[in-house]
Amino acid sequence: MKKFVALLLALMMVLAMGACSSSGTTTEDTATNDTATTDDAATTDDAATTDDAATEDTGDTGAADGELIKVGFAQVGHESDWRTASTKSAQDVFTAENGYELSFVDCDNDSAVQLDAVRNFIQQGMDYIIIDPIVATGWDTVLTECEDEGIPVIVIDRTVDDSDKYASWVGSNFKTEGLACGEWLKAYAAAQGITEINALVIEGSTGASATIGRTEGFKEIADREGWTILDSQNGDFTEAGGQEVMESYCQSYKGQFNVVICQNDNEAYGAMTAMDQAGVTYGVGGDVILVSFDANKAALELVKEGKLNADFECNPMAAPDVDAVIKQLEAGETPEKEIYMNETWFVAEDVAGATITVDGAEQDLVVVTQEVLDARPY
Ligand code: AHR
């Protein structure tokens, strides 16, 4: 009898083991399709392996399998306060909390470094590549390489002018900024009874679309109005560059100029130092009308003080729009090919009228007050 009971128990155990094994098979089968079942599997001894695998690079697009979306950003460099704000905008948006893993490369204004950075991003299997192109040309080959690898590229700020192989561009209309500067100067000079304009321009980096657009826009109005542009030289978008160019202008054009156009705020800071040293007065009530682009908060303080007459905004906060573009691409939608940032024209005095019309569009001139400064994000 004992033997029979033992045999019966052994038989029951074998049957029970068969049932367990069959149940396990079902769990494994459904685990590949069902999140809840996968979570259940995580309670087994294999859980560590499962978790480890989840952090490995599978080469899949991040959002599709719950991983972080890998974004490579080839930034121009760190030449200006504007650039610092642009970098911060990206670092604030492309965080792990927001579902991203950001690889950031400061290309230090070197186009060869920027092309290498993009190619490294391709090799690293980025899900998306963001490029702020140092120069506007020379892009088609590397953008074709991105396209061949199926990696969408989003261009920000400056434009790529020799290729359309990118999903979307988010940035500024630099020619409009230059035109706005010219239209404001026309209105301001008329209101002040200034009949002759002799301008000096401190340009940004050669080949950058920001430089090309601002130069073209201002020159278009200068040519139309019969103004003289005495000189236009490269200040590289830096404070040191602006100071160096202005020092040489102060020597070469002493007493001949009444307008200085700096193509960004840092150049304007340098130009102020040079004019201070040369005994040239500028701004409201000065000998020289001083104008800038970017409208960083520190520069707007100078507009409020009357040291800068006007500042035409270039908006560096592109990253939230890029985030929206990526979300659209993740959802299989087609984003807008061109997305323009909102930008404001800031002035020190309310003397040129409340608005200017640029390319047929009327836009407010905003006099910088403490309230305006308090509302500035960067
Ligand atoms: O491309 C935008 C320009 O580049 C900004 O005006 C300048 O400050 C920056 O360095």
Side-chain angles (χ1 to χ4, degrees), residues 57-68:
D57 176 11
T58 60
D60 292 333
T61 300
D65 53 16
E67 294 178 9
L68 297 179

Side-chain angles (χ1 to χ4, degrees), residues 17-93:
M17 280 168 70
C20 282
S21 144
S22 165
S23 157
T25 304
T26 307
T27 305
E28 276 172 25
D29 285 349
T30 54
T32 51
N33 297 322
D34 185 334
T35 316
T37 312
T38 307
D39 286 345
D40 290 344
T43 60
T44 70
D45 287 343
D46 286 336
T49 315
T50 308
D51 285 352
D52 289 346
T55 60
E56 275 173 18
D57 176 11
T58 60
D60 292 333
T61 300
D65 53 16
E67 294 178 9
L68 297 179
I69 298 174
K70 288 180 288 180
V71 172
F73 178 18
Q75 173 63 291
V76 168
H78 51 273
E79 71 284 359
S80 64
D81 296 344
W82 187 99
R83 191 63 55 197
T84 305
S86 161
T87 296
K88 184 171 184 310
S89 169
Q91 288 170 340
D92 286 350
V93 168

Side-chain angles (χ1 to χ4, degrees), residues 45-317:
D45 287 343
D46 286 336
T49 315
T50 308
D51 285 352
D52 289 346
T55 60
E56 275 173 18
D57 176 11
T58 60
D60 292 333
T61 300
D65 53 16
E67 294 178 9
L68 297 179
I69 298 174
K70 288 180 288 180
V71 172
F73 178 18
Q75 173 63 291
V76 168
H78 51 273
E79 71 284 359
S80 64
D81 296 344
W82 187 99
R83 191 63 55 197
T84 305
S86 161
T87 296
K88 184 171 184 310
S89 169
Q91 288 170 340
D92 286 350
V93 168
F94 299 112
T95 61
E97 295 74 39
N98 291 340
Y100 291 102
E101 184 183 317
L102 175 66
S103 296
F104 176 83
V105 177
D106 176 334
C107 300
D108 201 15
N109 228 19
D110 184 331
S111 289
V113 170
Q114 192 165 44
L115 290 173
D116 275 356
V118 174
R119 291 197 165 100
N120 284 336
F121 289 153
I122 295 172
Q123 279 182 357
Q124 289 161 17
M126 292 294 155
D127 298 314
Y128 297 90
I129 296 176
I130 304 170
I131 303 171
D132 190 330
I134 295 169
V135 292
T137 53
W139 285 101
D140 196 55
T141 303
V142 76
L143 291 185
T144 304
E145 292 166 26
C146 294
E147 191 176 69
D148 290 348
E149 291 301 319
I151 304 174
V153 170
I154 299 146
V155 178
I156 66 163
D157 172 34
R158 302 179 185 174
T159 51
V160 160
D161 293 350
D162 62 348
S163 178
D164 65 353
K165 292 180 181 126
Y166 53 86
S168 188
W169 164 84
V170 181
S172 307
N173 189 327
F174 300 113
K175 182 162 182 197
T176 298
E177 292 173 1
L179 290 168
C181 171
E183 294 292 5
W184 169 82
L185 181 59
K186 180 191 170 205
Y188 184 79
Q192 301 286 71
I194 298 167
T195 53
E196 202 178 315
I197 298 287
N198 291 300
L200 289 166
V201 177
I202 304 180
E203 295 183 16
S205 310
T206 304
S209 67
T211 302
I212 296 165
R214 288 170 190 163
T215 304
E216 278 180 9
F218 181 71
K219 187 172 182 310
E220 189 172 306
I221 307 297
D223 289 348
R224 189 190 72 195
E225 298 300 318
W227 299 338
T228 302
I229 298 179
L230 294 165
D231 212 335
S232 192
Q233 289 184 25
N234 173 10
D236 243 348
F237 285 131
T238 64
E239 183 165 347
Q243 182 173 340
E244 194 181 324
V245 172
M246 196 67 229
E247 280 169 358
S248 113
Y249 282 166
C250 285
Q251 285 182 358
S252 308
Y253 301 100
K254 191 173 177 191
Q256 298 173 48
F257 58 96
N258 61 350
V259 173
V260 173
I261 309 289
C262 301
Q263 287 187 353
N264 84 344
D265 287 339
N266 290 81
E267 289 179 344
Y269 305 150
M272 286 177 183
T273 305
M275 286 192 279
D276 287 341
Q277 286 167 357
V280 176
T281 60
Y282 49 84
V284 175
D287 297 333
V288 168
I289 298 166
L290 183 59
V291 182
S292 182
F293 294 85
D294 280 359
N296 292 301
K297 193 168 187 167
L300 291 186
E301 304 255 9
L302 297 172
V303 176
K304 182 169 168 285
E305 287 171 31
K307 289 185 176 163
L308 265 170
N309 294 85
D311 203 339
F312 297 84
E313 183 181 23
C314 180
N315 188 337
M317 315 297 271

